[in-house]
Amino acid sequence: MDDEYSEGWWEVPISALEHYGYCPRQCALIHVEQTYEENVFTMRGSLAHDRVDSGDDAANRGVPALRGIPLWSDKLGLRGRADAVEMREGGPYPVEYKIGRRRGIAADLQLCAQALCLEEMLGASVTKGAIFYHEVRKRHEVRIDEDLRGRTLKAIEEIREMLGAQRLPDAPNDARCKHCSLIDVCLPSVVGEPDRLRGLQGALWYHYDVKES
Ligand code: SF4
């Protein structure tokens, strides 16, 4: 085993990059607390991935592609898999499949982490990849440039630190929450508002004291 895998050096799941990019608290709920809630978004996401696994998407037609392949980077401590990797003349080209439409760069971080793994595994340069959004049935091409690489490496280290500390970040309680599968376990409107949380805690202890007396 590599020296880097010493005690306290946590392996980061590639999928955690997207969760962290969307909301660090969502990432911690899934990867620290092992919470997973199915909702309409995750169910549609699973169906989208089933289509990839069955090779039932026409987007890659004519380009040789590997589907559902395991990925890793010993150097960065990453593990996960790619939905598809097209083997193009210009080099490997990862493709990630998402339900819904594009919201920010969260999925780009995941795609970049896949690219970093492919570069280490294959010794080839990965300069581009794509995210296919099922809701709009469109590919969004992503350049794996220095800026995205830097953001991805920073997120990997922040996730590793969060996993090591077993820490649950505060809830931002903003527009992201209504699309989040974990809203019912996260309770952002309660934990994101300290005054409301204190009021509910007070009410809880009041009822407990009344019952016990
Ligand atoms: S409900 Fe909101 S704060 Fe909670 S994990 Fe989801 S996005 Fe983050």
Side-chain angles (χ1 to χ4, degrees):
M1 185 174 282
D2 198 294
D3 281 343
E4 285 170 311
Y5 289 96
S6 56
E7 198 179 335
W9 204 76
W10 291 68
E11 205 165 71
V12 173
I14 292 174
S15 62
L17 270 296
E18 190 199 10
H19 301 141
Y20 190 81
Y22 188 74
C23 169
R25 184 173 170 89
Q26 184 197 70
C27 182
L29 284 167
I30 295 169
H31 299 281
V32 173
E33 304 224 329
Q34 313 295 318
T35 305
Y36 185 77
E37 282 280 301
E38 191 89 290
N39 72 0
V40 67
F41 301 107
T42 58
M43 287 168 74
R44 285 165 63 196
S46 298
L47 287 172
H49 281 91
D50 287 348
R51 282 173 57 81
V52 175
D53 293 340
S54 67
D56 189 27
D57 197 281
N60 298 328
R61 204 169 279 162
V63 181
L66 306 169
R67 296 172 192 277
I69 62 164
L71 297 178
W72 64 87
S73 162
D74 289 335
K75 209 168 86 190
L76 299 172
L78 289 171
R79 289 287 181 277
R81 64 170 219 159
D83 287 339
V85 179
E86 295 179 358
M87 304 310 283
R88 298 185 172 200
E89 280 183 15
Y93 185 100
V95 183
E96 178 66 19
Y97 288 74
K98 297 292 180 198
I99 201 65
R101 57 187 63 229
R102 186 169 173 78
R103 287 193 178 86
I105 67 152
D108 297 6
L109 300 177
Q110 182 181 4
L111 190 77
C112 183
Q114 294 171 355
L116 294 170
C117 289
L118 286 166
E119 288 184 337
E120 185 176 319
M121 291 165 63
L122 304 177
S125 168
V126 180
T127 56
K128 287 186 219 161
I131 302 166
F132 183 82
Y133 292 96
H134 272 267
E135 188 175 323
V136 290
R137 300 208 60 76
K138 273 200 181 136
R139 278 188 176 208
H140 175 89
E141 188 165 79
V142 177
R143 288 180 55 225
I144 313 295
D145 59 17
E146 286 310 310
D147 179 60
L148 182 58
R149 286 169 188 264
R151 287 168 186 251
T152 304
L153 292 174
K154 182 168 179 283
I156 291 168
E157 286 320 305
E158 288 171 357
I159 294 168
R160 194 180 330 276
E161 192 200 327
M162 195 175 72
L163 294 176
Q166 298 284 285
R167 177 171 50 83
L168 195 61
D170 293 339
N173 190 25
D174 59 20
R176 289 170 281 184
C177 300
K178 72 177 176 196
H179 298 291
C180 178
S181 62
L182 300 182
I183 190 166
D184 291 335
V185 287
C186 171
L187 299 175
S189 63
V190 176
V191 297
E193 293 178 29
D195 288 346
R196 193 167 169 215
L197 181 59
R198 272 193 291 277
L200 286 171
Q201 284 169 333
L204 192 64
W205 285 113
Y206 172 78
H207 285 295
Y208 177 78
D209 289 343
V210 168
K211 270 182 81 178
E212 291 296 300
S213 59

